[in-house]
Amino acid sequence: MLDMHVISDTNTPLPAEPYHARHFIDGKLVDSADGATTERVSPSHGIVVSRAARGGEAETIRAIKAARRAFDDGRWSRLSGKDRAKVLNRVADLIEANEERLAIIETLESGKPISQSRGECGGAGDLWRYAASLARSVHGESHNTLGEDILGIVLKEPIGVVSIITPWNFPFWILSQKLPFALAAGCTAVVKPSEMTPSTTAMLAELLAEAGLPPGVCNIVLGHGDPVGSLMSTQEDVDMVTFTGSTAVGKTITKAAGDSLKKVALELGGKNPQVIFPDADLEGAADAVTFGVHFNVGQCCNSSSRIIVHQDIADDFVSRVVELSRNVAFGNPLNPDTQVGAIVTPEHNDKIDSHVRAAVAAGAEVCLGGASLTVPGLGDQFYQPTIIRGVTPDMAIAREEVFGPVLSVLTFRTLEEAIALTNDASYGLSAGVWSDNVHTCLEFARRAQAGTVWTNTWMDGFPELAFGGVKQSGQGREIGSYGFEEFLEVKSLVMRIGRTREPWVKKRSP
Ligand code: NAD
């Protein structure tokens, strides 16, 4: 057994019975017409956490129609920004008041530590509040120099009905990166959470109703990609799809939405590097690398799953990261001291392991971990913190998203080489650089192909700052004013003043 910090116990009791998650259509909580349900078994505790209605075509079409009606009759889209902000702020209050209830079920469905779930669920309130502030800031532009008798105005209007499709790794947080911004813009929505983590999205329905969101403005359909997600990507009544998930499904959605030319915004995978120069604060860098790869058991689009470390310090730096990784508290996600919890499914655990086996077969060396982890009393749906050295840029482990606590170590000699390795990837979500030299940091930041660059830190995020990726990590941006703009359409208005327009048809002489 690996010498590491494993926590198996907790004082938090398990829920007495599974949560019954229902769809939310036109303001009502409903089960599926055919009574179909899906059970979610906790990855850490093996109990049935939730029994969720499993949506089919009937529920999905009803939800889309409800969103269309609600948009077209203006019950939300024609409200003032002030009135929309009032509702969104009330939702934020209710989210914060319900943090613990949301956090417990988020932990049991996803396997993530309770401290993290509390931060994500309670912290999501801030995203709702920030979006509420944007609801009052929508403005376009005016053109007063088009001629004496013309005034040109560019208006911003809500895009319409938005389909929101979310993954299992940050269910409530990612929902809150999308839904309040769409609502702030005046859009109506149909939401589908992952079939593995439906409950906190379903719980939000109760909070939306309590906050006074008019019926039909946000509809939630629980269920699988097929048929729910695919109908949400193809129906004519939907104007835009915003999706967070795998690059493969993102491509499928883009193709499906193409037939009706919907706008598509995508937040997809990443293979995010941290580059470490010898002049950096190496203690801080080692801590950030350990955090970057083990946070959410590496099941994170922003996971820093590869480091590119200067050859002169590589041995020392890797030893520091190995030591720190042994001290990270893995184990029972209900214990408040646990930092890293369970892997989402047994199949995913096997997939992580097969990535590690393939790297070893390709000639890489495992210097920590490299196998499942058994937590006493909770089973083996956990994975050891794993560090792999001797990785070359051509190996699959250096290029593919592993989505587990597995760090690949590559080395460099010059800044040029570090930038080339950073950009040698099909993904471009985020990248980081550690150096005390501002010139090194700035040159790296300018040339790295990534939607976010961190210098001397990792994964600091703020609602004000746009988030998203380049290359195959996605298209469009989320949060910040740029993310908000995605939900707005632009309309030009040309106003002639007085009756000065030259007639096009010339008068004929009799
Ligand atoms: P996934 O692509 O398997 O599923 C995401 C969602 O899409 C789920 O709700 C699923 O039911 C739905 N879906 C599946 N097939 C569909 C289809 N044909 N049409 C419409 N919807 C469909 O992803 P996942 O396994 O839940 O999440 C992990 C992936 O998400 C990783 O690749 C990760 O990098 C990515 N991710 C990206 C970000 C980001 O912001 N860039 C954030 C979190 C996760």
Side-chain angles (χ1 to χ4, degrees), residues 166 168-169 192 195 229 243-246 267-269 301 401 403:
T166 58
W168 47 261
N169 57 348
K192 189 198 95 61
E195 57 279 14
F243 168 80
T244 297
S246 61
E267 300 297 337
L268 309 174
C301 56
E401 196 178 40
F403 235 51

Side-chain angles (χ1 to χ4, degrees), residues 164-170 174 177-178 192-197 223-233 241 243-250 252-253 256 266-270 299-302 344 348 401 403 427 429 467-469 473-474 478:
I164 297 177
I165 303 174
T166 58
W168 47 261
N169 57 348
F170 298 95
I174 288 174
Q177 292 201 143
K178 297 176 186 286
K192 189 198 95 61
S194 165
E195 57 279 14
M196 286 185 266
T197 51
H224 288 66
D226 179 22
V228 183
S230 34
L231 285 165
M232 288 167 65
S233 317
V241 185
F243 168 80
T244 297
S246 61
T247 297
V249 174
T252 304
I253 287 177
L266 303 171
E267 300 297 337
L268 309 174
Q299 302 171 133
C300 177
C301 56
N302 260 333
V344 71
H348 189 54
E401 196 178 40
F403 235 51
Y427 293 114
L429 190 60
F467 176 66
S473 287
E478 217 148 74

Side-chain angles (χ1 to χ4, degrees), residues 272-274 288 291-292 302-304 430-432 434 454 457-460:
N272 314 297
Q274 295 200 58
F291 160 66
N302 260 333
S303 168
S304 68
S430 52
W434 289 82
W454 284 290
T457 186
W458 187 256
M459 235 190 297
D460 279 328

Side-chain angles (χ1 to χ4, degrees), residues 49-113:
V49 191
S50 57
R51 198 160 285 126
R54 178 178 177 156
E57 188 171 337
E59 291 74 34
T60 315
I61 299 292
R62 270 210 300 131
I64 293 172
K65 294 270 178 230
R68 182 80 258 165
R69 270 195 310 277
F71 184 78
D72 291 346
D73 71 15
R75 71 186 82 164
W76 182 251
S77 57
R78 286 187 224 137
L79 285 190
S80 67
K82 179 180 168 187
D83 287 343
R84 287 207 286 264
K86 217 185 276 174
V87 176
L88 298 182
N89 278 322
R90 265 190 237 130
V91 178
D93 292 342
L94 290 167
I95 287 173
E96 285 158 4
N98 283 273
E99 175 185 305
E100 192 62 10
R101 196 165 76 95
L102 291 162
I104 286 182
I105 200 140
E106 193 85 310
T107 281
L108 288 171
E109 280 187 344
S110 69
K112 69 176 60 195

